[in-house]
């Protein structure tokens, strides 16, 4: 018995017991390629369509359309589009997008020269720009046009029988031949049992058995493409139905998921204010701890918002917590903790002694140690004459007050160890009645006058909790009552995450199957010889040439030896050392592919 493996078209054979007789019908095959000789048996072992990029299209509109469709649905073009899509997404991560308009405005102000060009190219809204959408849609169509025909072709392969054995099995990359005293029917039956035991699909035609295995390779390949298609659908759903809004909430206040409650809100194409889920929550308290000693002094150790939330119009309040990287899901929406800070509680009285404003005013932190700036606007204040005399205060809040000649008043630690409020006072017209939107954290002093004391010095004072700033000329006063914490949240609606997760896992499984499973075919033919014995021919073909198919041919040949033992070669000289005591008489040990190549 001999086992032969071809490498690069050159066959290296082990000494055979007897040469395979030439088929009389094979005389006209000289000069033909191996693929032409193997016919259907040597057809490609995949569902990948033939490459038509180099073929010239036919004349006419239909020919050009057919050619363009073939190129669009080819794997080469799909990979190019996928690469272009990844490149097109880069500006979206480097350039501020319209979902954060404040950053976009700051970028335009900092780069006035290049911003108009970016605006024309759609760089501030990359994912909804025409050029990004064009690449996305073309990739979508390319994958769809690639998956559908390959799926039907694969289904046809599953329903069809393995192809019949080629005329000359010696042209296959791996083959084996031997003579046996068993009848052709016995060899065929044994071969079918052996191959089925190895989970091959078999088909018996005449005196030959055709077997095929490794369909999961193509199934994995198709699963990978379908999963990639699912990822595109998931990303599209996320882009079209995504929505998010921000809300800053002071300790003790609440939020209801209504458009008017948001500080800022951006909805997707298919998601608007009518799609908002009915839920809300109240910020009960905020826990923050910091490192007190060491090189990381002042760095945060714990940030946690303690809330009560309800889901639905009649939902009962339930306790919950939201911390960094641990959002809370309410009504299918995700609530993220973004930042936190302090809100000094003040009471402002006007010249008439009336309380014109009372409450907590959020101050925005400017550094990691808690130094924050803010504005107190009092549009309802009255002057001594009873006429409107609007007041405003602008200044700094420090949770741990410190003062030096370089930084001036600042915070030396982010915890409330020694809180202080440093304010300047203004009066005049805030411009809030003009109907123009204003930033609540900024003060427009165009129509405001900064107050001065009797000595001509600007009114400014550092207040501790309980202290009062008295305004000159009897214009009123401001009392620093205490400090509350505030937290900023992002409420996010994201669709398609589940589809993207499932598709990503399926893509990994499909890729593993397409990489590690080898599709192969094996044929066993049993023919009667002129000397009364049976000639057994066995050949194998894999999708890619490797030693695995030769090894599997050898394993099947050894498994057939009990039912179809190889006859000894009468012309083979015995070894000088005598017969192998471990080898049964009349059953020479088959050689492996590597041994055959060395022979």
């Amino acid at each position: 018995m001999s086992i032969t493996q071809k490498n690069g078209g050159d066959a290296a054979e082990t000494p055979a017991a007897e040469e395979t007789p030439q088929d009389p019908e094979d005389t006209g095959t000289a000069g033909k390629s191996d693929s032409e000789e193997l016919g259907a048996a040597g057809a490609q072992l995949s569902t990948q369509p033939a490459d038509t990029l180099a073929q010239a299209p036919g004349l006419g509109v239909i020919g050009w359309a057919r050619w363009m469709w073939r190129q669009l649905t080819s794997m080469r073009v799909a990979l190019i589009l996928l690469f272009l899509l990844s490149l097109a997404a880069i500006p979206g991560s480097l350039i501020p997008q319209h979902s954060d308009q404040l950053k976009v405005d700051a970028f335009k102000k900092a780069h006035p020269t290049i911003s108009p060009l970016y605006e024309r190219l759609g760089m501030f809204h990359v994912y909804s720009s025409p050029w990004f959408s064009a690449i996305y849609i073309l990739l979508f169509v390319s994958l769809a046009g690639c998956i559908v025909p390959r799926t039907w072709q694969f289904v046809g392969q599953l329903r069809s029988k393995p192809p019949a054995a080629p005329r000359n099995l010696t042209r296959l990359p791996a083959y084996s031949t031997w003579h046996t005293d068993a009848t052709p029917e016995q060899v065929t039956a044994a071969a079918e049992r052996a191959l089925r035991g190895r989970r091959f699909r078999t088909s018996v035609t005449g005196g030959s058995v055709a077997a095929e295995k490794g369909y999961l390779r193509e199934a994995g390949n198709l699963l990978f493409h379908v999963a990639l298609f699912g990822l595109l659908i998931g990303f599209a759903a996320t882009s079209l139905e995504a929505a998010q809004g921000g809300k800053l909430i002071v300790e003790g206040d609440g939020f209801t998921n209504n458009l008017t409650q948001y500080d800022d809100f951006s909805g997707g194409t298919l998601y608007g204010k009518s799609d908002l889920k009915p839920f809300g929550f109240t910020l009960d308290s905020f826990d923050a701890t910091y490192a007190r000693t060491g090189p990381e002094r002042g760095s945060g150790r714990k940030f946690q918002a303690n809330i009560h939330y309800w889901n639905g119009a009649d939902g009962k309040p339930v306790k919950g917590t939201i911390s960094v990287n641990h959002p809370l899901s309410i009504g299918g929406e995700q609530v993220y903790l973004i930042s936190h800070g302090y809100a000094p509680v003040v009471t402002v009285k006007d010249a008439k002694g009336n309380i014109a404003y009372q409450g907590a005013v959020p101050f925005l932190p400017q550094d990691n140690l808690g130094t924050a700036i803010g504005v107190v606007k009092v549009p309802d204040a009255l002057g001594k004459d009873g006429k409107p005399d609007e007041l405003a205060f602008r200044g700094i809040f420090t949770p741990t007050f410190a003062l030096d000649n370089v930084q001036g008043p600042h915070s030396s630690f982010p915890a409330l160890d020694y809180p202080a409020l440093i304010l300047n006072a203004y009066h005049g017209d805030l411009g809030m009645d003009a109907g123009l939107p204003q930033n609540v954290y900024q003060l427009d002093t165009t129509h405001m006058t900064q107050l001065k004391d009797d000595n001509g010095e600007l009114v400014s004072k550092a207040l501790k909790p309980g202290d009062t700033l008295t305004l000159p000329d009897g214009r009123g006063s401001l009392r620093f009552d205490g400090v509350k914490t505030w937290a900023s949240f992002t409420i996010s609606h994201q669709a398609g995450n589940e589809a993207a997760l499932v598709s990503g896992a399926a893509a990994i499984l499909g890729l593993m199957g397409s990489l590690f499973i080898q599709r192969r075919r094996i044929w066993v033919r049993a023919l009667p010889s002129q000397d009364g014995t049976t000639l057994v021919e066995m050949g194998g073909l894999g999708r890619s040439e490797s030693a695995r198919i030769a090894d599997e041919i050898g394993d099947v040949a050894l498994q057939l030896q009990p039912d179809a033992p190889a006859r000894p070669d009468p012309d083979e000289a015995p070894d000088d050392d005598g017969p192998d005591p471990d080898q049964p008489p009349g059953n020479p040990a088959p050689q492996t592919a590597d041994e055959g190549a060395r022979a």
Side-chain angles (χ1 to χ4, degrees), residues 79-95:
L79 292 175
I80 292 175
L81 290 173
L82 188 61
F83 177 70
L84 290 177
L85 189 68
S86 62
L87 289 180
I90 294 177
S93 60
L94 299 178
I95 302 174

Side-chain angles (χ1 to χ4, degrees), residues 558 575 577-590:
L558 289 176
D575 294 337
D577 296 336
D580 187 353
D582 296 331
Q583 179 67 29
N587 187 14

Side-chain angles (χ1 to χ4, degrees), residues 205-381:
T205 304
S208 64
V209 179
E212 192 167 7
K213 186 180 181 180
Y215 288 94
L216 286 179
R217 180 187 182 96
E218 286 305 313
N221 195 5
L222 288 174
L223 178 62
F224 174 77
H225 288 82
V226 172
L228 187 58
F229 193 78
L231 281 174
L232 290 178
I233 295 177
F235 292 155
T238 301
S239 177
L240 293 175
E241 296 188 23
Q244 69 176 17
K247 179 63 178 179
L248 187 148
I249 303 176
V250 178
E251 178 183 349
D253 294 343
F255 165 79
T256 302
N257 193 30
N258 187 285
L259 191 61
T260 59
Q261 292 278 302
Y262 283 97
D263 295 332
D264 58 85
F265 180 83
S266 60
T269 304
L270 302 180
Y271 190 91
K273 61 180 181 180
S274 60
D275 299 310
L276 296 174
K277 306 294 180 61
F279 71 87
F281 60 92
T282 299
L283 178 61
D284 299 327
S285 61
F286 191 90
D287 298 333
T289 58
Y290 306 91
R292 290 282 179 177
T293 59
E296 296 184 356
R297 182 180 183 275
S299 60
R301 288 291 180 263
K302 176 183 177 182
F303 299 109
Q304 177 177 294
N306 304 308
I307 67 170
H308 273 83
Y309 68 93
W310 61 92
N311 185 15
D314 301 325
K316 296 182 179 180
V318 180
K319 284 187 177 182
T321 60
I322 306 174
S323 57
V324 179
N325 297 327
H326 291 84
L328 180 65
S329 178
I330 308 177
E333 315 290 36
Q334 299 294 320
V335 182
Y336 296 87
L337 175 63
I338 302 302
S339 60
H340 86 103
Y342 299 104
V345 180
V346 298
T347 299
V348 180
K349 293 183 178 180
D350 59 16
K352 290 290 187 179
N354 301 321
I355 297 178
Y357 180 85
Q358 187 176 38
V361 182
F363 275 51
L364 301 183
Q366 302 299 302
D367 56 35
N368 294 330
L369 296 177
T371 304
I373 60 174
V375 174
V376 180
K377 298 181 181 181
V378 189
D380 298 328

Side-chain angles (χ1 to χ4, degrees), residues 430-447:
L430 290 169
M432 300 178 66
D433 296 332
L436 299 177
Q438 288 190 6
N439 190 328
V440 295
Y441 305 107
Q442 295 179 357
L443 177 63
D444 183 7
T445 59
T446 304
H447 303 288

Side-chain angles (χ1 to χ4, degrees), residues 427-586:
H427 80 103
D429 183 9
L430 290 169
M432 300 178 66
D433 296 332
L436 299 177
Q438 288 190 6
N439 190 328
V440 295
Y441 305 107
Q442 295 179 357
L443 177 63
D444 183 7
T445 59
T446 304
H447 303 288
M448 304 288 291
T449 301
Q450 190 169 0
L451 294 176
K452 299 180 180 180
D453 57 19
D454 296 337
N455 298 324
E457 300 291 337
L458 297 177
V459 174
S460 180
K461 185 177 181 181
L463 306 175
K464 296 182 296 182
D467 290 349
T468 300
L469 170 63
T470 302
L471 303 180
D473 300 330
R475 295 183 182 276
S477 64
L478 179 146
R479 186 178 70 242
F480 181 20
D481 298 326
V483 182
K484 289 185 176 182
T485 57
W486 61 260
S488 179
F489 301 91
T490 290
I491 296 86
S492 176
H493 173 82
Q494 296 179 341
N497 287 345
E498 294 81 4
L501 177 62
V502 173
S503 298
I508 295 175
L509 293 176
L511 188 61
M512 292 174 60
S514 63
L515 290 178
F516 298 113
I517 298 177
Q518 183 184 15
R519 189 169 175 188
R520 60 263 192 209
R521 293 168 180 165
I522 292 179
W523 294 274
V524 180
R525 178 185 290 140
L527 299 174
S529 299
Q530 295 178 356
D531 58 359
T533 62
T534 300
L535 173 64
V536 181
E537 297 179 326
M538 183 182 300
L541 180 66
R543 179 174 179 179
S544 58
E545 294 185 10
S546 66
R548 290 183 58 187
I549 186 64
D551 294 341
E552 196 157 21
I553 288 289
D555 293 340
V556 175
L558 289 176
Q559 190 173 350
L560 291 179
Q561 292 306 303
D563 297 299
R567 294 190 60 183
D569 186 356
D571 299 331
E572 183 177 354
D575 294 337
D576 295 338
D577 296 336
D580 187 353
D582 296 331
Q583 179 67 29

Side-chain angles (χ1 to χ4, degrees), residues 152-218:
W152 284 115
Q153 184 178 352
F154 181 62
V155 171
Q157 291 179 359
L158 292 177
R159 299 179 61 183
S160 62
K161 296 181 179 180
R167 178 179 301 175
N168 194 346
L169 291 178
T170 60
R171 292 183 177 272
L172 296 178
Y175 63 90
S176 176
T177 62
W178 73 90
H179 283 265
T180 182
D181 291 330
T183 63
E185 291 77 13
Q186 292 174 334
V187 175
T188 302
E192 185 180 12
R193 289 194 304 270
L195 292 170
R196 283 189 175 181
R198 292 175 173 271
R199 298 189 300 275
F200 277 83
R201 291 179 58 205
T202 61
S203 174
V204 180
T205 304
S208 64
V209 179
E212 192 167 7
K213 186 180 181 180
Y215 288 94
L216 286 179
R217 180 187 182 96
E218 286 305 313

